[in-house]
Amino acid sequence: DAGITQSPRHKVTETGTPVTLRCHQTENHRYMYWYRQDPGHGLRLIHYSYGVKDTDKGEVSDGYSVSRSKTEDFLLTLESATSSQTSVYFCAISDSPEVGEQFFGPGTRLTVL
Amino acid sequence: GQNIDQPTEMTATEGAIVQINCTYQTSGFNGLFWYQQHAGEAPTFLSYNVLDGLEEKGRFSSFLSRSKGYSYLLLKELQMKDSASYLCAVRDSNYQLIWGAGTKLIIKP
């Protein structure tokens, strides 16, 4: 299995509070992705990174920001959490988006009350 | 817009064969993936098709027809552990993955 961890695995927070989720990889893959997964929807891309300090928006980026200061770490921040951001968040990595598959972390279940 | 359709839920019997269909309309096509996701776990890669035809990998096979925008995942000799959601994803012209909502497969003894 690809070495990907996410922290925390579970979090309950209140509306309006900031939240940061961490993804850590030991595979030295260049590309890292943040998705959210909600019932009735496919995985939806929030942001992705194609190198240190190189990031871009995905389909559902509003309300989220990311940072990547090291190859192995990709942080997702909710500046002011809302109930609509209650979801399961998955990090994924890939060596190249043109070939090969993405490997997923175990996920973080976030509940915003 | 981009759209991937797959049945929401299917039921099959242990030891039988089941086919899970996926149809897609995307901006460009650079391959189609199938992933398996057990409840509460991460998606894991099953198969990849970029050319028309059948790819076989043990009990699992995946078929692609690019002209029809259609793929299926075939699972043979079903086992209880195959109870999971199966996700279809297309790599589009920007090399991003567009995901279907997944098919929940229930296996009955």
Side-chain angles (χ1 to χ4, degrees):
Chain A
D1 290 341
I4 314 170
T5 56
Q6 293 184 230
S7 58
R9 294 292 314 279
H10 301 271
K11 186 170 182 65
V12 179
T13 191
E14 294 190 350
T15 298
T17 59
V19 176
T20 296
L21 309 182
R22 179 182 184 237
C23 177
H24 179 77
Q25 62 144 331
T26 57
E27 304 297 318
N28 201 35
H29 281 359
R30 181 179 172 194
Y31 287 80
M32 298 184 76
Y33 307 83
W34 277 109
Y35 292 94
R36 61 178 291 174
Q37 187 175 43
D38 303 289
H41 293 272
L43 288 159
R44 292 182 288 177
L45 183 64
I46 305 171
H47 282 280
Y48 67 99
S49 170
Y50 46 96
V52 173
K53 298 185 178 177
D54 291 323
T55 65
D56 206 349
K57 296 179 180 180
E59 175 192 358
V60 292
S61 60
D62 287 350
Y64 302 94
S65 63
V66 290
S67 66
R68 191 169 179 199
S69 58
K70 297 185 289 185
T71 299
E72 56 267 35
D73 290 326
F74 192 32
L75 304 181
L76 177 70
T77 297
L78 291 66
E79 301 291 347
S80 178
T82 68
S83 58
S84 64
Q85 293 176 313
T86 292
S87 187
V88 179
Y89 291 85
F90 285 102
C91 174
I93 64 173
S94 75
D95 208 19
S96 165
E98 291 89 1
V99 296
E101 66 270 32
Q102 293 182 9
F103 301 94
F104 285 81
T108 295
R109 182 172 294 275
L110 176 67
T111 302
V112 184
L113 301 175
Chain B
Q2 309 206 90
N3 194 51
I4 296 182
D5 287 318
Q6 28 179 155
T8 302
E9 186 174 295
M10 299 181 70
T11 301
T13 303
E14 190 177 14
I17 300 173
V18 70
Q19 177 175 311
I20 302 173
N21 296 327
C22 171
T23 58
Y24 62 89
Q25 290 178 305
T26 56
S27 57
F29 178 85
N30 284 297
L32 186 143
F33 295 82
W34 284 97
Y35 279 74
Q36 181 189 60
Q37 185 178 26
H38 285 100
E41 298 184 6
T44 56
F45 170 74
L46 280 179
S47 69
Y48 172 68
N49 295 71
V50 66
L51 299 177
D52 290 352
L54 189 68
E55 293 283 341
E56 297 187 79
K57 198 187 275 189
R59 294 190 298 115
F60 293 6
S61 304
S62 56
F63 171 83
L64 175 67
S65 169
R66 289 173 297 170
S67 62
K68 295 182 179 177
Y70 167 70
S71 173
Y72 68 73
L73 180 69
L74 192 72
L75 291 74
K76 304 175 186 175
E77 301 169 13
L78 286 170
Q79 302 174 10
M80 297 303 293
K81 68 178 182 179
D82 298 328
S83 292
S85 290
Y86 291 86
L87 314 181
C88 173
V90 171
R91 184 157 53 199
D92 70 7
S93 56
N94 295 318
Y95 298 101
Q96 300 293 355
L97 292 186
I98 310 301
W99 296 82
T103 299
K104 182 178 181 180
L105 178 63
I106 300 168
I107 309 296
K108 295 187 174 180

